[in-house]
Amino acid sequence: MKATAKAHTNIALIKYWGKRDQALILPTNNSLSLTLDGFYTTTTVDFHDALTQDVFMLNGQAVTGEAYQRVTKFLDLIRNLSGKTDLYANIGSINEVPTAAGFASSASGFAALAAAGAKAIGLNLSDPELSRLTRQGSGSACRSIYGGFAEWEMGEKEDGTDSYAVPIAPREYWDIRVAAVVLSSTMKKVSSRAGMKRTVETSPFYSGWIDSIPNDLNGIKVGIQEKDFEKVGAISEANCLKMHATTLGANPPFTYWHDTTLRVMHTVQEMRANGIPAYFTIDAGPNVKVLYLPEDEARVEETLRNIAGVTDVRLSKAGPGITYL
Ligand SMILES: O=C(O)C[C@@](O)(CF)CCOP(=O)(O)OP(=O)(O)O
């Protein structure tokens, strides 16, 4: 029983930054993202009676250790959902996600794995059911079930059955662009999972972050509805800065930013001062993603490429949801 699925990564405009339940991966707030066309994972899952354990190949290399454990535990969810608890699979994933660009390839990775695995084992999941399953692999991945803009509703129930993403607007709705700025970075990374845990548990700024979310969410949805790029960009940039501010108050304090990160942030703000509407957002790493409009693509790309410490700029449009090959 075999299936292949392709899923694209997404960039959060209103960030997921904290869990209320680690095991079920339930968040402390809603988040909202844009799925990107340029970065995706294609995964084939082939369940086979003769296998006695899962085998996972990523970009042609056998995966072992913690990364393997995360995948086989996730497939246990699919085995339990289908009742076929002693069926194992060959899994092959190809990532077109430049990890160096600071994209958590876990978002497209777990979405593609969930879609291919569920289909291969014979589950016919609705989009909300597929998003709820994907969430248990990696929170942000649950938004990649949809193309365009999607919102992950945090839900209230303790069992997480009401925590999954819903579509806000399809990719065709609005052609806004994202430039992924790749920085030469050797900094040891605090993973998003570890970073948000430490922040939730120790940062005095965390409650202020949570209190600010509903306003940001309402504002950005109005901005998307009205195709008001300045409104969407300004809220996204401010939301990112508030998220990162919480890490500075954690114990021990930490930040994902380094010198080139700040240089890119200042350059984006200078672009705005010079009349080019561009806004930045940053996740759990030093890399910066820049939102801009199609008519400004050449000037934005050229400006970003000329920043000292920038090694690459990868451009993307809004992307699609899950596709089966
Ligand atoms: O994407 C966002 O909303 C914001 C972040 O990227 C900011 F860093 C967090 C992504 O966290 P994720 O990797 O999904 O964590 P998991 O649930 O512990 O696997």
Side-chain angles (χ1 to χ4, degrees):
M1 299 136 79
K2 185 174 177 180
T4 298
K6 183 177 178 186
H8 290 245
T9 195
N10 67 77
I11 177 75
L13 303 181
I14 303 296
K15 302 294 185 189
Y16 151 52
W17 189 240
K19 296 180 179 69
R20 67 178 194 273
D21 183 310
Q22 302 291 333
L24 291 174
I25 306 192
L26 297 178
T28 49
N29 56 271
N30 284 24
S31 58
L32 185 143
S33 62
L34 177 64
T35 298
L36 300 180
D37 188 44
F39 314 114
Y40 51 86
T41 300
T42 305
T43 297
T44 296
V45 176
D46 185 2
F47 285 102
H48 207 288
D49 289 333
L51 291 171
T52 56
Q53 66 173 22
D54 297 321
V55 178
F56 179 34
M57 301 290 281
L58 174 60
N59 295 337
Q61 302 285 323
V63 174
T64 58
E66 208 245 323
Y68 171 80
Q69 288 306 322
R70 269 185 87 179
V71 166
T72 193
K73 279 199 176 59
F74 185 72
L75 278 183
D76 286 343
L77 295 175
I78 292 176
R79 282 185 272 266
N80 294 339
L81 260 180
S82 67
K84 298 168 183 166
T85 52
D86 55 2
L87 202 49
Y88 295 94
N90 281 312
I91 305 123
S93 274
I94 304 290
N95 259 352
E96 293 294 332
V97 181
T99 314
F103 283 109
S105 50
S106 59
S108 55
F110 274 102
L113 177 63
K119 194 168 183 70
I121 210 163
L123 288 169
N124 279 318
L125 301 182
S126 66
D127 283 347
E129 288 169 333
L130 182 58
S131 179
R132 185 166 58 208
L133 169 64
T134 305
R135 187 207 77 229
Q136 297 170 74
S138 177
S140 56
C142 80
R143 303 180 307 233
S144 280
I145 303 306
Y146 305 103
F149 295 94
E151 180 177 4
W152 173 12
E153 294 181 337
M154 63 182 282
E156 272 112 39
K157 295 183 181 166
E158 287 195 5
D159 64 0
T161 46
D162 60 349
S163 183
Y164 50 80
V166 294
I168 295 291
R171 64 190 302 207
E172 301 76 16
Y173 173 77
W174 191 12
D175 180 11
I176 64 174
R177 303 287 170 89
V178 175
V181 185
V182 185
L183 315 181
S184 52
S185 148
T186 52
M187 204 163 85
K188 183 185 169 332
K189 195 162 122 47
V190 178
S191 75
S192 45
R193 189 161 290 189
M196 65 173 81
K197 187 168 187 297
R198 186 193 310 177
T199 304
V200 171
E201 288 171 353
T202 65
S203 177
F205 306 150
Y206 194 73
S207 55
W209 155 253
I210 290 296
D211 294 345
S212 75
I213 296 282
N215 217 22
D216 284 359
L217 259 176
N218 294 334
I220 205 165
K221 285 196 268 191
V222 169
I224 291 167
Q225 182 61 37
E226 295 171 353
K227 296 188 184 178
D228 181 340
F229 182 68
E230 280 68 15
K231 188 180 181 90
V232 169
I235 293 172
S236 300
E237 187 169 300
N239 185 266
C240 147
L241 289 168
K242 286 183 282 187
M243 173 204 136
H244 286 271
T246 63
T247 71
L248 298 173
N251 181 19
F254 67 104
T255 181
Y256 287 107
W257 301 346
H258 65 57
D259 56 352
T260 311
T261 311
L262 285 163
R263 213 173 291 130
V264 176
M265 292 159 72
H266 294 154
T267 303
V268 171
Q269 292 172 336
E270 274 160 32
M271 276 199 263
R272 283 210 296 277
N274 297 330
I276 302 176
Y279 298 84
F280 62 78
T281 188
I282 305 164
D283 290 305
N287 293 285
V288 184
K289 289 95 179 181
V290 179
L291 300 166
Y292 63 94
L293 291 170
E295 56 265 28
D296 297 317
E297 183 146 277
R299 285 192 300 174
V300 167
E301 182 182 10
E302 206 237 338
T303 306
L304 294 174
R305 281 192 186 285
N306 288 332
I307 301 171
V310 169
T311 55
D312 195 5
V313 176
R314 306 284 292 270
L315 306 180
S316 183
K317 299 182 178 178
I322 298 279
T323 51
Y324 296 96
L325 310 179

Coordinates of all heavy atoms in Angstrom, one line a residue, residues 10-12 14-17 19 25 31 70 104 106 135 137-141 143 152 192-193 196 243 256 282-285, ligand 1:
N10 N 5.5 26.7 5.3 CA 4.8 27.9 5.5 C 5.5 28.9 6.3 O 6.4 28.5 7.1 CB 3.4 27.6 6.1 CG 3.5 27.1 7.5 OD1 3.7 27.8 8.5 ND2 3.4 25.7 7.7
I11 N 5.2 30.1 6.2 CA 5.9 31.2 7.1 C 4.8 31.8 7.9 O 3.8 32.3 7.4 CB 6.6 32.2 6.2 CG1 7.2 33.3 7.1 CG2 5.8 32.8 5.1 CD1 8.5 32.8 7.8
A12 N 5.0 31.8 9.3 CA 4.0 32.3 10.2 C 4.1 33.8 10.2 O 5.1 34.4 10.3 CB 4.3 31.8 11.6
I14 N 1.5 35.4 12.1 CA 1.2 35.5 13.6 C 1.8 34.2 14.2 O 1.4 33.1 13.8 CB -0.3 35.6 13.8 CG1 -0.9 36.8 13.1 CG2 -0.6 35.7 15.4 CD1 -0.4 38.2 13.5
K15 N 2.8 34.4 15.0 CA 3.6 33.2 15.4 C 2.9 32.3 16.4 O 2.2 32.7 17.3 CB 4.9 33.7 16.0 CG 5.7 34.6 15.1 CD 6.3 33.9 13.9 CE 7.2 34.8 13.1 NZ 7.5 34.3 11.8
Y16 N 3.2 31.0 16.3 CA 3.0 30.0 17.3 C 4.2 30.0 18.1 O 5.3 29.7 17.6 CB 2.8 28.6 16.5 CG 3.1 27.4 17.2 CD1 2.7 27.1 18.5 CD2 3.9 26.4 16.6 CE1 3.0 25.9 19.1 CE2 4.3 25.2 17.2 CZ 3.8 25.0 18.5 OH 4.2 23.8 19.0
W17 N 4.1 30.3 19.4 CA 5.3 30.3 20.2 C 5.0 29.9 21.7 O 5.0 30.7 22.6 CB 6.0 31.7 20.2 CG 7.3 31.8 20.8 CD1 7.7 32.6 21.9 CD2 8.5 31.1 20.4 NE1 9.0 32.4 22.2 CE2 9.5 31.4 21.3 CE3 8.8 30.1 19.4 CZ2 10.8 30.9 21.2 CZ3 10.0 29.6 19.3 CH2 11.0 30.0 20.2
K19 N 3.5 26.0 24.0 CA 2.5 24.9 24.1 C 1.8 25.0 25.4 O 2.5 25.3 26.4 CB 3.3 23.6 23.9 CG 3.9 23.4 22.6 CD 4.6 22.0 22.5 CE 5.3 21.7 21.2 NZ 6.5 22.5 21.0
I25 N 1.0 18.5 21.6 CA 1.4 19.7 20.8 C 0.2 20.6 20.6 O -0.3 20.8 19.5 CB 2.0 19.3 19.4 CG1 3.2 18.3 19.6 CG2 2.5 20.5 18.7 CD1 4.1 18.1 18.4
S31 N -2.3 30.8 15.5 CA -1.3 31.4 14.6 C -1.8 31.4 13.2 O -2.8 30.7 12.9 CB 0.0 30.6 14.7 OG -0.3 29.2 14.3
R70 N 11.2 10.3 15.9 CA 10.1 11.2 15.7 C 9.2 10.7 14.5 O 7.9 10.7 14.6 CB 10.5 12.6 15.3 CG 10.7 13.5 16.5 CD 11.1 14.9 16.1 NE 9.9 15.8 15.9 CZ 10.0 17.1 15.5 NH1 11.2 17.6 15.4 NH2 8.9 17.8 15.3
A104 N 12.1 25.7 8.8 CA 12.0 24.4 9.6 C 11.4 23.4 8.6 O 10.2 23.5 8.3 CB 11.0 24.6 10.8
S106 N 10.6 20.7 9.0 CA 9.7 19.8 9.7 C 8.2 20.2 9.3 O 7.4 19.3 9.3 CB 9.8 19.9 11.2 OG 9.6 21.3 11.6
R135 N -0.5 18.0 13.1 CA -0.1 18.8 14.3 C 0.7 18.0 15.3 O 1.5 18.6 16.0 CB -1.4 19.4 14.9 CG -1.3 20.4 16.1 CD -2.4 20.4 17.0 NE -2.4 19.2 17.9 CZ -3.4 18.4 18.2 NH1 -4.6 18.6 17.6 NH2 -3.3 17.4 19.0
G137 N 2.8 15.9 14.8 CA 4.2 15.7 14.3 C 5.0 16.9 14.6 O 6.0 16.9 15.2
S138 N 4.4 18.1 14.2 CA 5.1 19.3 14.4 C 4.0 20.4 14.3 O 3.3 20.4 13.2 CB 6.2 19.6 13.4 OG 6.8 20.9 13.6
G139 N 3.9 21.3 15.3 CA 2.7 22.2 15.3 C 2.5 23.0 14.0 O 1.5 23.0 13.4
S140 N 3.6 23.7 13.6 CA 3.5 24.6 12.5 C 3.1 23.8 11.2 O 2.6 24.4 10.2 CB 4.8 25.4 12.3 OG 5.9 24.5 12.1
A141 N 3.4 22.5 11.2 CA 3.2 21.7 10.0 C 1.7 21.6 9.7 O 1.3 21.5 8.5 CB 3.8 20.3 10.1
R143 N -0.5 23.7 9.4 CA -1.0 24.8 8.6 C -0.6 24.6 7.1 O -1.3 25.1 6.2 CB -0.3 26.2 9.0 CG -0.6 26.5 10.5 CD 0.0 27.9 10.9 NE 1.4 27.9 10.6 CZ 2.4 28.2 11.4 NH1 2.1 28.6 12.7 NH2 3.7 28.3 11.1
W152 N -4.2 28.4 12.3 CA -4.3 27.2 13.3 C -5.0 27.7 14.5 O -4.6 28.5 15.3 CB -2.8 26.8 13.6 CG -2.7 25.7 14.7 CD1 -3.7 24.9 15.2 CD2 -1.5 25.3 15.3 NE1 -3.2 24.1 16.1 CE2 -1.9 24.3 16.2 CE3 -0.2 25.7 15.2 CZ2 -0.9 23.6 17.0 CZ3 0.8 25.1 16.0 CH2 0.4 24.1 16.9
S192 N 13.2 25.4 18.0 CA 12.0 26.1 18.2 C 11.3 25.4 19.4 O 10.8 26.1 20.3 CB 11.1 26.1 17.0 OG 11.1 24.8 16.4
R193 N 11.4 24.1 19.5 CA 10.7 23.3 20.5 C 11.3 23.7 21.9 O 10.6 24.0 22.9 CB 10.8 21.8 20.3 CG 10.0 21.0 21.2 CD 9.8 19.6 20.6 NE 8.8 19.6 19.5 CZ 8.3 18.5 18.9 NH1 8.7 17.3 19.4 NH2 7.5 18.5 17.9
M196 N 10.7 27.7 22.7 CA 9.4 28.1 23.2 C 9.2 27.5 24.6 O 8.5 28.2 25.4 CB 8.3 27.7 22.2 CG 8.0 26.3 21.9 SD 6.6 26.1 20.9 CE 7.2 26.4 19.3
M243 N 7.4 38.4 19.6 CA 7.8 37.0 19.9 C 9.3 36.9 20.3 O 9.6 36.3 21.4 CB 7.6 36.1 18.7 CG 8.1 34.7 18.8 SD 8.5 33.9 17.2 CE 10.0 33.1 17.6
Y256 N 17.8 34.6 18.9 CA 18.1 33.9 17.6 C 18.9 34.8 16.7 O 19.4 34.4 15.7 CB 16.9 33.4 16.9 CG 16.2 32.2 17.7 CD1 15.0 32.4 18.4 CD2 16.8 31.0 17.6 CE1 14.4 31.3 19.1 CE2 16.2 29.9 18.3 CZ 15.0 30.1 19.0 OH 14.5 29.0 19.7
I282 N 10.9 36.7 11.3 CA 12.0 35.8 11.7 C 11.5 34.7 12.6 O 10.6 35.0 13.5 CB 13.1 36.6 12.5 CG1 13.6 37.8 11.7 CG2 14.3 35.7 12.8 CD1 14.3 38.9 12.5
D283 N 11.9 33.5 12.4 CA 11.5 32.4 13.2 C 12.6 32.0 14.2 O 13.3 32.8 14.6 CB 11.0 31.2 12.3 CG 9.7 31.6 11.6 OD1 8.8 31.9 12.4 OD2 9.7 31.6 10.4
A284 N 12.7 30.7 14.5 CA 13.7 30.2 15.5 C 15.0 30.0 14.9 O 15.6 28.9 14.8 CB 13.2 28.9 16.2
G285 N 15.6 31.1 14.4 CA 16.9 31.1 13.8 C 17.3 32.5 13.3 O 16.5 33.4 13.4
Ligands
LIG1 O1 6.0 28.7 12.7 C1 5.6 29.4 13.7 O2 4.4 29.6 13.9 C2 6.6 30.0 14.6 C3 7.9 29.2 14.8 O3 8.5 28.9 13.5 C4 8.8 30.2 15.4 F1 10.0 29.8 15.6 C5 7.7 28.0 15.7 C6 7.6 26.7 15.0 O4 7.6 25.7 16.0 P1 7.6 24.2 15.5 O5 8.8 23.8 14.8 O6 6.3 23.9 14.7 O7 7.5 23.5 16.9 P2 6.9 22.0 17.3 O8 5.4 22.1 17.4 O9 7.5 21.8 18.7 O10 7.4 21.0 16.3

